Amino acid sequence: MFKLLERFIMKCPICGMMYVPEYSEDVRAHRIYHDKVVNGVYARKIKSDKIFWEKSDYRITVVNYFSSTVQKRRAEEAGLLAHRDTPFDFAPYHSKEDLDKRNVHLFLLSRKIRIIGLLILEKRTHVQKFNWQEYENAGGKKLLKGEAIWSIGLVWIHRKYRKMGLGSQFVQAVASYFNIEAQSIGWHIPFTDDGKKLAKSLCPKSFYVAI
């Protein structure tokens, strides 16, 4: 039976989901997931949205431990979508995370009814300032524990909206939410290639490494 079933399993070349076209439930599940991958997480404006930035069709919503379950689940969905584009083992956020000293804040970038970006900011105490040459040569150098600073754990922009300058605008808008400069924010390492390019564009001379 399993060998027979394998003959009918399809893998979508776009979203990567495997499903059986003969099963209506599989077809529906694929349609929903495919739409999310191609267009972003579906998220209409609702009462619990904490919007702090809007421009044209774009808006940024902040989510933290005290946000509603709906907002946390939206952030989790965005994190799962972002996880597809990273080499890391685990999803970046779970909606049932406990409150801890990191004081995690999630920022959802939306265009119309779709979440197309996610930025995770948290307090980190192991921080060190490098210029880029020092960073390349530092290897696994241990960072000193000091005063906690806001640090970026993840910045993600949906593939459909890349190369439009949204990443740097996103970081700068989030920095303004805390009334700090983008250059004073730490960056959690290791970088992805896109993450490193973004960090260099915002901090061309030196930056804070956070772990």
Side-chain angles (χ1 to χ4, degrees):
M1 180 180 174
F2 291 111
K3 287 186 178 181
L4 182 63
L5 189 60
E6 285 177 5
R7 291 171 54 193
F8 298 100
I9 293 176
M10 289 186 62
K11 181 177 181 179
C12 178
I14 297 173
C15 72
M17 181 175 176
M18 299 184 73
Y19 67 103
V20 179
E22 282 74 18
Y23 290 170
S24 59
E25 289 185 5
D26 268 24
V27 171
R28 181 177 180 276
H30 170 248
R31 184 173 66 249
I32 293 170
Y33 183 71
H34 185 95
D35 176 67
K36 188 188 303 183
V37 169
V38 172
N39 298 306
V41 176
Y42 180 83
R44 285 189 177 276
K45 276 187 178 182
I46 56 176
K47 261 189 174 183
S48 61
D49 286 348
K50 301 297 183 186
I51 300 170
F52 75 92
W53 180 93
E54 282 189 276
K55 186 176 180 181
S56 186
D57 291 332
Y58 296 87
R59 65 185 182 278
I60 300 175
T61 306
V62 60
V63 178
N64 60 26
Y65 174 78
F66 302 101
S67 298
S68 69
T69 301
V70 171
Q71 295 295 339
K72 290 179 180 180
R73 284 177 179 166
R74 283 182 170 184
E76 184 177 68
E77 275 197 80
L80 290 171
L81 199 56
H83 186 239
R84 287 172 43 87
D85 293 337
T86 70
F88 309 127
D89 293 332
F90 304 104
Y93 172 72
H94 299 283
S95 59
K96 294 183 180 180
E97 285 186 10
D98 292 329
L99 179 64
D100 58 29
K101 61 185 179 181
R102 294 176 301 143
N103 192 16
V104 176
H105 281 60
L106 303 103
F107 297 86
L108 308 178
L109 173 63
S110 300
R111 180 175 182 269
K112 295 183 178 179
I113 59 170
R114 298 286 180 167
I115 296 171
I116 59 155
L118 171 67
L119 191 153
I120 300 177
L121 207 67
E122 56 192 49
K123 289 280 191 175
R124 291 279 180 169
T125 54
H126 288 84
V127 180
Q128 192 167 344
K129 192 171 186 178
F130 289 90
N131 64 41
W132 285 99
Q133 188 60 50
E134 289 169 340
Y135 172 72
E136 299 294 348
N137 296 332
K141 186 176 180 180
K142 187 176 181 180
L143 301 186
L144 302 176
K145 187 172 183 178
E147 184 179 349
I149 68 170
W150 286 112
S151 302
I152 293 173
L154 174 79
V155 186
W156 169 79
I157 300 293
H158 190 284
R159 291 179 179 227
K160 198 174 180 179
Y161 294 91
R162 292 178 192 171
K163 301 188 184 301
M164 297 169 59
L166 289 177
S168 59
Q169 290 182 60
F170 198 6
V171 174
Q172 289 166 339
V174 169
S176 71
Y177 177 81
F178 290 101
N179 198 27
I180 58 177
E181 297 291 329
Q183 291 75 21
S184 69
I185 295 175
W187 294 81
H188 189 57
I189 56 173
F191 286 117
T192 61
D193 290 341
D194 287 342
K196 190 173 182 179
K197 288 176 185 175
L198 176 60
K200 278 189 170 183
S201 71
L202 289 164
C203 309
K205 294 182 179 179
S206 61
F207 71 107
Y208 292 96
V209 170
I211 58 172

